[in-house]
Amino acid sequence: LLFDYIASGEGEYLFTAEEQDKPYEIVFSQASLFRNRDFYIPLRADFRGRIYTDSYYLNYQGSDFSTAILQFADGYSLTEEGKYWLYVYAANLYNESGMGKLSYNKRYNWTKDNMSKILSMDKDFILKAEEKFKFTAVSLVLRKLALDPNYIVKLPVFFDATCSGIQHLVGIMRDEGLAKEVNLTPQLPSDDVADIYNKLRIPINEEIRRVGRENPAYSNLVDVELPRSVV
């Protein structure tokens, strides 16, 4: 769907001047070669057992664009539960004001509340999405579903664990207090998602700045403010 939307010229607004470069051209040219035919993406596992794609540019672990332009060869018509999770996924991709850390129901309702903008493919609205290409791909599917509730959906829908490494350690230790911090137990009453990275960001920054204050040789550290993404 996204390929056709861009190829028709409707989706040209998605690309800024800086994005009209070789990687995007290469992904699109690869996609055009494989359009309307089944193909496989080679995978490999590292020593930890983590699986990675072993192809360049056109793969689901690459850029927002390369992931968004891919579809499964086979699809399904969605149940009501399936549609629920598609709505949640749409909110995750847009991530307005950290929407991805709110409860699933709040994310579902955000998509419902913005459905008119989604179905009309409101350009200004779409360009504000955190992952604009994947969000556009979901929007195109939602538009199809609005016309035909039995539409066969082939779009990959991605969900990630929150800090899965710490989650495994918490499970091994059976630490109930920390389990709540990494979403292994419900966040009642709000059921929003806990964010241990953001919580730890504050004491980590303070400790780094303390070293800068107490050690003149490292005085530049007093200005450190690590963002959540670095933590």
Side-chain angles (χ1 to χ4, degrees), residues 85-129:
W85 290 112
L86 187 64
Y87 280 35
V88 172
Y89 182 52
N92 287 348
L93 296 174
Y94 202 92
N95 202 28
E96 181 180 39
S97 303
M99 173 68 57
K101 297 301 177 187
L102 300 182
S103 71
Y104 291 136
N105 283 338
K106 289 176 182 175
R107 284 179 260 178
Y108 170 81
N109 287 328
W110 178 91
T111 300
K112 282 186 65 178
D113 292 342
N114 287 281
M115 189 57 70
S116 62
K117 294 178 183 178
I118 292 170
L119 297 182
S120 67
M121 301 301 290
D122 184 309
K123 295 178 182 179
D124 292 334
F125 174 72
I126 288 174
L127 287 174
K128 292 176 183 176

Side-chain angles (χ1 to χ4, degrees), residues 206-216 218-219 221-222:
E206 178 52 36
E207 179 62 15
I208 293 172
R209 291 193 290 265
R210 181 192 66 76
V211 173
R213 289 194 299 269
E214 297 178 3
N215 296 272
Y218 301 105
S219 60
L221 295 180
V222 299

